[in-house]
Amino acid sequence: MVNIAQSVKLIGLISCSTLLVNCTFLKTKAAEPDAFRLEAMPIDYQTLASKPATPLSKVFQLSFYDYDPNWKKVVKTIDVAPLQYRGNEPHLVLDNNGREYLTYPVPDRVNVEGKSVLANTPLNWYGKGPALVFERKPGTLVIPLLPNHTYKTVKADIEKTGGKVLGIFGTTFTGFTAQKEPIPLSYVYFNPNRLPKNAGNTDLPVYRSSEVPGQSAPNIFLSGLITYSDGRSAYLDFSDLEGEGKTSNEQLDDIKAQISKQLEQLEAQPDVAIVTIDTHAVIRKTSDIDAVVERGEYKRGGPFLLHETQSVARGLRVFNDQTKAYLGSMIIPSLLMKDCLAVAKQKFGSDAVIQFLDGDAPAAAYFEDYNPTADLELQDPIVLNAFRLTAMRGLELIVQYD
């Protein structure tokens, strides 16, 4: 049982993270390793439609199976407070680090030494705190996880191309095989021979996630990223394409065929090093978000569940809509989708547009040899040290080329 003193302490900590005003996060904090820059940007809720999560006074303990950094399965017990109902979300609780946990529907429970423990780690995400901004420096690229690789195995192949994997910043959408194994819902083309580091080299393998350019996932993804030999990156957006056919499936398949043809043409250009198609349309205005949801009817074309259109954490890529240039990536705490766009514009200007990355919980990052949590004064120690992401598919690798 949690005593009254513990309850008061927890609520006091949560209240500070909830109100934000006059708390630590009012000031922007930055950390600058040699390959990239990270910034903790405060969220001003007064300018947004989203409301801060308000914890209720009742505090209780939540126990679940998790993994430690050595991948040993352990029982984790944390003090949490239920969140005030905010609309269409399922049941959520908040811990004193500002991390939200989905408690219903819950996985199976098991009894461990008289304690009720969730058999699996509940979905959890970055619930409270500043927006986190990633900006790469010259010589650093964002590269998708290479086909047929895991985070553990990809490092050796990247080293062969002259690069070094520094970590991960967010993930893209994933699906599952018939055997329930996770797979990235994306198409990836990477030709390392076209990078300046490998000038004149034609011997390195070219990575493609399929022989046919484009994506074969049932969901239709309409945008992605193109990176040129000189390191410039820009968005790809095929959301203006219209498909021919009598049924919605026929129309979607026709759009996929059009995307495939255009990707094939791009890959033939000698100055193109990386092409990905891995997310929904570029979001320029809030009606674009509505279109993503309506296009899929929560089935095909947009895997967002209803509660995911509300307040859950997000990973974003940010671009300048006039030049299409990639500006950086962001991790946004639990906000409405339209507010994610608003926060990106606050940081990068009115011409900023976004691509949604994470479709659900893991809006977080992981760095190999660097943990900037203290530098950025973050409450949530996991958000920039989420080692569990290394077991996922659809990773956004941060790669440095000297």
Side-chain angles (χ1 to χ4, degrees):
M1 295 294 291
V2 180
N3 62 36
I4 295 176
Q6 287 176 311
S7 299
V8 171
K9 181 179 179 182
L10 177 66
I11 296 303
L13 288 170
I14 292 176
S15 296
C16 184
S17 67
T18 300
L19 293 175
L20 291 179
V21 179
N22 296 324
C23 289
T24 304
F25 300 136
L26 274 177
K27 295 182 179 180
T28 295
K29 301 288 183 180
E32 296 207 36
D34 62 353
F36 55 88
R37 182 179 188 275
L38 290 172
E39 179 181 311
M41 171 185 162
I43 300 290
D44 181 4
Y45 283 90
Q46 293 183 350
T47 65
L48 304 177
S50 303
K51 303 302 179 187
T54 303
L56 302 178
S57 58
K58 183 180 179 182
V59 176
F60 63 95
Q61 288 189 328
L62 179 68
S63 296
F64 51 87
Y65 273 109
D66 202 353
Y67 291 89
D68 67 14
N70 296 316
W71 286 105
K72 179 183 177 182
K73 198 169 187 178
V74 296
V75 174
K76 184 176 182 180
T77 299
I78 57 175
D79 291 338
V80 296
L83 291 180
Q84 186 174 0
Y85 190 67
R86 288 184 289 168
N88 295 310
E89 302 103 324
H91 296 260
L92 298 172
V93 296
L94 187 72
D95 71 10
N96 59 2
N97 284 322
R99 180 156 290 262
E100 293 182 2
Y101 293 83
L102 177 68
T103 58
Y104 182 83
V106 298
D108 294 337
R109 291 181 179 270
V110 295
N111 188 292
V112 180
E113 298 180 352
K115 179 185 295 185
S116 178
V117 177
L118 300 184
N120 296 299
T121 307
L123 286 179
N124 63 93
W125 51 80
Y126 184 43
K128 300 301 307 176
L132 301 172
V133 184
F134 168 84
E135 296 176 86
R136 65 183 186 181
K137 294 182 179 180
T140 300
L141 298 180
V142 174
I143 299 177
L145 183 67
L146 300 182
N148 303 315
H149 275 285
T150 65
Y151 183 72
K152 275 188 176 181
T153 63
V154 78
K155 298 174 192 176
D157 270 31
I158 289 293
E159 287 181 1
K160 292 175 184 176
T161 72
K164 178 183 179 182
V165 175
L166 304 180
I168 305 160
F169 198 89
T171 69
T172 53
F173 295 86
T174 56
F176 294 91
T177 65
Q179 292 74 35
K180 304 299 182 182
E181 297 175 345
I183 55 170
L185 298 181
S186 62
Y187 170 73
V188 177
Y189 166 84
F190 175 41
N191 189 339
N193 298 290
R194 293 176 176 175
L195 296 175
K197 178 85 174 183
N198 304 311
N201 195 343
T202 59
D203 297 330
L204 293 173
V206 176
Y207 298 89
R208 280 189 177 91
S209 54
S210 71
E211 291 299 319
V212 179
Q215 47 93 30
S216 59
N219 301 94
I220 181 73
F221 290 148
L222 296 174
S223 71
L225 188 69
I226 182 169
T227 299
Y228 297 93
S229 300
D230 60 6
R232 292 178 298 117
S233 293
Y235 71 70
L236 293 172
D237 185 28
F238 300 105
S239 60
D240 61 336
L241 296 179
E242 295 184 3
E244 295 184 356
K246 295 180 180 180
T247 67
S248 59
N249 282 354
E250 289 177 350
Q251 293 166 8
L252 288 173
D253 288 340
D254 184 64
I255 290 174
K256 288 182 181 181
Q258 294 180 60
I259 293 174
S260 177
K261 183 177 181 180
Q262 293 191 40
L263 293 180
E264 188 175 9
Q265 293 171 349
L266 287 173
E267 292 166 19
Q269 295 179 197
D271 64 338
V272 171
I274 307 171
V275 175
T276 68
I277 181 79
D278 55 12
T279 187
H280 303 291
V282 169
I283 305 299
R284 300 174 174 85
K285 53 189 182 300
T286 55
S287 59
D288 294 334
I289 299 170
D290 298 333
V292 169
V293 176
E294 291 171 6
R295 186 184 302 121
E297 296 178 343
Y298 308 109
K299 296 176 183 177
R300 289 195 65 177
F304 296 125
L305 300 176
L306 183 59
H307 81 269
E308 291 174 346
T309 67
Q310 307 301 312
S311 297
V312 298
R314 294 282 165 194
L316 313 173
R317 293 192 196 112
V318 188
F319 304 87
N320 180 291
D321 198 30
Q322 300 301 314
T323 65
K324 299 185 178 181
Y326 170 73
L327 303 176
S329 297
M330 301 181 78
I331 293 171
I332 305 290
S334 295
L335 298 175
L336 295 166
M337 282 184 168
K338 62 183 178 181
D339 284 336
C340 295
L341 177 62
V343 171
K345 290 182 180 292
Q346 287 175 10
K347 168 59 184 174
F348 291 103
S350 60
D351 286 336
V353 295
I354 63 174
Q355 290 172 336
F356 287 124
L357 295 178
D358 305 303
D360 46 21
Y366 172 80
F367 298 97
E368 284 285 302
D369 304 311
Y370 181 64
N371 184 2
T373 302
D375 294 345
L376 300 180
E377 296 184 2
L378 300 179
Q379 266 188 288
D380 186 347
I382 302 173
V383 65
L384 288 182
N385 192 28
F387 74 94
R388 291 191 67 199
L389 279 184
T390 60
M392 296 188 64
R393 302 292 180 174
L395 301 174
E396 294 273 284
L397 302 177
I398 304 165
V399 180
Q400 183 179 26
Y401 286 90
D402 296 328

